[in-house]
Each structure stands twice: as C-alpha cells, then as structure tokens.
C-alpha cells in the first residue's frame, strides 16, 4: 500500500530518515511495525539514533526504537 511505499522509501534514504521516522512514531501517523521495518532497512546507520531514542519521553518512540534495534540485532 501507500504507507508501505513511503516507509520503504524512507528506509532507502538511510540515516537522514531516522529522525523523520521517529517523529512519525511520536505523531502516531504510521504503525510502529511499519516504522521498525523502515528503520531495519536503514541498517547499521540507524543504531546510534535508535539507541538514543530509547531514552525518549514518548512511549511510541521507545517502542519503535526497541523494535528497530531488535531487527538490526
């Protein structure tokens, strides 16, 4: 679907997209699993921002960070 195309494209952009993906998680615009999939497609470049996101005040951002890191694992 359209959401899949958007998250896949962001994943292909790479590390510059990580902040936007985490913002989407915070806004609740995209399901966390889709965001985590896009973050996994970013690869190792997402590790540092995702690790930092574990300390976010926002539960949705922390959830996506955990899912993304597990997928990179």
């Amino acid at each position: 679907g359209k959401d899949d195309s958007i998250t896949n494209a962001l994943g292909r952009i790479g590390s510059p997209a990580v902040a936007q993906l985490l913002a989407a998680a915070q806004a609740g615009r995209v399901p966390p699993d889709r965001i985590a999939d896009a973050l996994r497609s970013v690869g190792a470049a997402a590790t540092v921002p995702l690790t930092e996101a574990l300390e976010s005040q926002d539960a949705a951002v922390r959830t996506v960070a955990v899912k993304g890191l597990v997928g990179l694992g």
Side-chain angles (χ1 to χ4, degrees):
K2 181 179 177 182
D3 288 341
D4 290 336
S5 298
I6 292 168
T7 53
N8 290 337
L10 287 170
R12 286 190 302 274
I13 290 169
S15 59
V18 174
Q20 286 77 20
L21 289 164
L22 293 173
Q26 186 172 15
R29 295 188 306 254
V30 180
D33 289 337
R34 286 194 180 151
I35 295 171
D37 288 343
L39 288 166
R40 282 190 288 277
S41 69
V42 170
T47 303
V48 171
L50 289 177
T51 301
E52 293 170 355
L54 293 173
E55 298 180 22
S56 173
Q57 296 296 317
D58 188 278
V61 171
R62 291 191 309 271
T63 298
V64 166
V66 168
K67 289 180 181 216
L69 287 168
V70 167
L72 292 174

